[in-house]
Amino acid sequence: MSEIVVVPHTHWDREWYLPFQRFRMGLVRMLDEVLDTMAADPAYRFTMDGQLAAVEDYLEIRPERRADITRFVTEGRFAAGPWTILADEFLCSGETLIRNLEYGLRGARELGGAMEVGYLPDQFGHCAQMPQILALAGLPVACLWRGVPQSVERDAFAWKGADGTVIRTQYLPGGYGNAVALFTGPAEGLADRLEAFTSTMREWRPEGPLLAMYGADHSAPSGDITAAGLRLATLGEYLATAGVEGLTVVEGELRSHARANILPGVISARIRLKQVMGRAERVVTRYAEPLSALWLGDGVPGGHGTGGRAAGERTASERLIELAWRGLVACSGHDSITGCGADETAQQVEARVAEAEQIGQAVVDLVSASLAGGARRDQLVVVNPSPFARTALVLADLPEDRSCLTAPGGSAVPAQRLARGPHLLDESSMEDLTRLLGRVHERELFGHEIVSWSAEGNVFTVVVSRHATTGYQYADLRAAILAAAEEPGPWRVRTVAEPVVTVAARVEVPALGRTVLTSVPAPGPTDAPGSAEPASSPPADAGEAPSPESQTRAGRLQDGAGRPAGGDGEIITEGVVANGLLRVSAAPDGTLSLRTASGLRADGVGRIVDGGDAGDTYNHAPPETDRLVGAPAWVKVAAICSGPLVSVMEVSRGYRWPSQTTPEARSEQDAEVTVTTRVELRAGEPFVRLSTTFANPCRDHRVRWHAAPPREAGESYAGGQYAVVRRGLTGEGGCGEVPLPTFPASGFVAAGGLAVLLDHVSEYELVCPPGSETSGELAVTLLRAVGYLSRDHNAYRDEPAGPQIATPDAQCPGTVTTRFAVHLYDGTWDEAGLVRLAEEYHHDLLAVPGSGSAGPGPEAAAGPDSPLEVSGDGVTLGALRRRDGWLELRLVAQHPSAAEAVVRGPFTAARLADTLGRPIRPLDAAGGVVRLPLRPFEIATLHLT
């Protein structure tokens, strides 16, 4: 009989149809059993699922067994790592995947050694950059199940990644539990079971030892299997000597349905999870970590050194950032961020992702405080998170008598007044005036800072400001209140805000640098124009600026989606906004018509279509008789504001959507729904920013946003995980799952000259008219509301994907808001610079009000500075952090042809490293310039000092 190698293992979902802590109790029992077996039987082997998180979760409960695990790992009998968690590769960023591998390898090696296999047993498909990600971490081989195309006819193939990296990949025919029944049944039947297994697997591997994956979900393999006399091994031992010669080559991402279900509906299930993940990754990766590395290196703004710290010593901000990263990595699990778990699981995942974002925001606050301390209270520090110079908008709340801004050289900054803040914040009656002291917290009152106070008659007035510039002593206020309180009440207590206006300013900031603006009085009528006044402004005392959720207020970082947009001098009319680069008009049906200055045009942009969904969190499935609703019952268009920098209109549409759906049909009972789209243009931006909002009153349905590209398209290009992937109009089927051509996109998706810049990972489809080989419309899923984790009977999937558990929260009740931008372009996606536009759309400038009493320090006074600048066709900055005394930059050539990355900055030495931080070779850094040739889609890690 041919040799069979048995790999005892388990597949452990950290959280799924039960929340994490309930699953962990089973994990403790399972690993107790495995470790006891290994202690009693030196021949026993065990592979812990490719992820370290389960081991760490276990050791939190059983710390006394660390020595046992370390011994078994060191002996090579217990395979740990290389991943921290088995992530969904399409629902997190490429950098999150790299950190996942970094932390997993580090932790496993601390236990005695890491499994040198990119084990990916149960992920729902695999991203195009995975071969390069594994190779850059020193892993020579992958092992996986789902997503393998029909062209693979053996148990191994050569997987070629987006950049050309090729690694041997072990395919698992029958899945990661292909030998789960091998030791089930009477011992005398083992020979027959071995023969049946061999007969099946020899079709996949004509010669050589056969891989028998003996294990299943959430259970320990039997402890007495060594008695069968078969060879036991870890997965790493089995794959130790593999090569790629003579293997079938498979290129790019693995998303075929041919040999296993890939469960594509997880991309759109519980859409809020995807939104919070996208926002948190952005805050941690591109604001907290790089700004901390650049501006807190010595504890002072602009510092790059280690500040005298011992080698390897980390600052508080570095520890916080790693804590945030580990939270993001843990939540990227293929049964976590996917939303295909129980409601309790999804709730906990969302809370943990939000916590990671909050940690990142805390670090941003730390950087902001450092920068603010070097500027006066009448100044604004503006920071650019991008590695190239930017001219973009920021919002600032300024005193009405100093509502203009000047650049460091004294020149006026183009600005547009958006709104005036409320004047009277509170008026109340007090018999005892000393009660007012209970309202005051140091200097804060009603969210503002106290400026002055006065008593006249029986009226006590406190004047406050959002950013006070005068001195203040609590003792002085207390003495004034006590003195006034000697007069009998009642007292009328008024809290009055200094007149404040919200201003949008167009600011020039160097690459990864800052500039300092100063607020000055507005020029008189005869003065030279120094600021751009709006063509029409909100009335005085109009309250806040048009949409607080879509704005970046000074001093606070929010997501980069839909701030006020620009008009470049053109005045809008009812239903039209324009900025010289793009003209957007509202049609009678509420859709938009876009026209560029070069003559490109797209009509019908933003058509909303609601359809039934009788599927589950894993797979969309329409009812037998669907009823699509795409025409609104009414349309209203309103102009919000217009001007040279910011123009906004709002389009509201009323629909009647079927309130429920069954597998057979949609209900006749309808619910009234209003969909509001906020349309924003900014000066200098060639795209329009959209924010679509509605309250979801319906169950079991899918809502999609449609747009017809300027030209027909038979393919799409989607960003994601450090690559841009080309996809056609269909998917490959063959394994009992309908191959819907719905795909994930991160960053952007483009087809036929129309690009959608996405705020988070989103599901899209090129909808192809019947009988056509080209697309009619690009459809982006705004909402998919379903009521079951998995349905036992899903029309688009033969087998259940999990237990049939009700998930009422997956119906996504409440308000749904989706933000993105639309851009029309000529030529190809790379010629149009979509990667650069996505960078600008996602990363707003950070504005920090000054808090110092003196003038800015020498650096700020000298004007803008630029720590680092990165250039090159399609070259993007993936990450920037401080590591072992070096600045580490992750660069990616997101371009279909070779590129040269050029890095300029105040550094004297540079080297190339792998993603684990290990040096590869020195680089020429003469004159503070590094030039690095890159293959298409190559990922490179640079160290600078």
Side-chain angles (χ1 to χ4, degrees), residues 13-311:
D13 299 299
R14 195 167 186 255
E15 52 197 351
W16 182 21
Y17 57 82
L18 293 176
F20 163 60
Q21 296 295 358
R22 294 181 67 185
F23 257 130
R24 175 148 71 169
M25 292 312 300
L27 172 69
V28 171
R29 290 192 296 270
M30 185 274 293
L31 279 179
D32 278 347
E33 182 181 336
V34 167
L35 295 179
D36 290 345
T37 299
M38 298 186 79
D41 186 352
Y44 199 85
R45 298 287 193 272
F46 182 72
T47 296
M48 186 60 242
D49 204 23
Q51 57 182 341
L52 188 67
V55 177
E56 294 174 336
D57 294 339
Y58 173 79
L59 289 175
E60 284 186 358
I61 307 301
R62 294 272 197 257
E64 68 276 11
R65 302 216 68 164
R66 176 175 290 273
D68 290 337
I69 290 180
T70 299
R71 174 162 63 91
F72 299 146
V73 170
T74 303
E75 293 172 353
R77 296 200 289 136
F78 189 110
W83 298 100
T84 305
I85 200 80
L86 295 180
D88 186 286
E89 296 171 33
F90 296 96
L91 287 172
C92 63
S93 70
E95 189 62 27
T96 299
L97 292 173
I98 288 174
R99 302 302 175 97
N100 186 345
L101 199 52
E102 174 190 325
Y103 297 146
L105 286 168
R106 181 199 303 173
R109 287 166 181 166
E110 289 173 355
L111 289 173
M115 181 171 69
E116 303 292 323
V117 175
Y119 187 40
L120 304 160
D122 197 31
Q123 281 90 328
F124 310 148
H126 305 280
C127 67
Q129 284 284 32
M130 186 53 67
Q132 186 179 189
I133 290 172
L134 295 175
L136 287 173
L139 302 184
V141 61
C143 181
L144 49 83
W145 169 36
R146 301 185 195 267
V148 174
Q150 192 73 40
S151 61
V152 173
E153 298 178 341
R154 295 291 182 263
D155 71 336
F157 61 94
W159 187 9
K160 186 176 182 180
D163 73 314
T165 297
V166 178
I167 62 172
R168 181 184 178 94
T169 303
Q170 181 72 34
Y171 169 49
L172 299 173
Y176 54 81
N178 63 0
V180 67
L182 201 59
F183 299 96
T184 302
E188 59 270 21
L190 177 60
D192 292 338
R193 294 193 294 273
L194 289 171
E195 183 176 353
F197 178 83
T198 300
S199 176
T200 299
M201 294 305 296
R202 273 294 166 223
E203 298 178 7
W204 294 95
R205 186 178 178 87
E207 56 184 32
L210 300 176
L211 175 60
M213 297 294 290
Y214 173 54
D217 292 2
H218 317 135
S219 61
S222 174
D224 58 1
I225 57 176
T226 55
L230 299 173
R231 176 188 166 195
L232 268 60
T234 64
L235 187 61
E237 289 174 324
Y238 176 83
L239 296 173
T241 59
V244 297
E245 295 76 12
L247 298 180
T248 298
V249 177
V250 178
E251 297 188 23
E253 67 180 6
L254 304 179
R255 288 193 63 84
S256 172
H257 306 253
R259 302 199 179 281
N261 293 342
I262 65 168
L263 311 170
V266 298
I267 301 298
S268 51
R270 302 186 194 265
I271 200 70
R272 180 169 168 78
L273 277 181
K274 285 63 174 177
Q275 293 175 329
V276 297
M277 186 68 166
R279 186 171 62 242
E281 286 182 319
R282 198 153 50 240
V283 169
V284 174
T285 312
R286 292 300 307 279
Y287 289 91
E289 190 170 57
L291 296 185
S292 172
L294 292 174
W295 302 106
L296 296 178
D298 292 314
V300 297
H304 298 283
T306 58
R309 291 182 285 117

Side-chain angles (χ1 to χ4, degrees), residues 400-445:
E400 191 167 30
D401 61 351
R402 299 177 64 86
S403 59
C404 288
L405 293 167
T406 59
S411 60
V413 175
Q416 176 183 334
R417 175 171 165 169
L418 295 179
R420 183 182 182 186
H423 177 61
L424 179 62
L425 300 183
D426 180 76
E427 185 170 22
S428 53
S429 177
M430 292 182 181
E431 289 290 341
D432 182 1
L433 184 60
T434 60
R435 289 173 49 207
L436 176 58
L437 292 171
R439 289 184 178 177
V440 177
H441 302 87
E442 296 295 336
R443 191 171 189 172
E444 185 271 331
L445 183 62

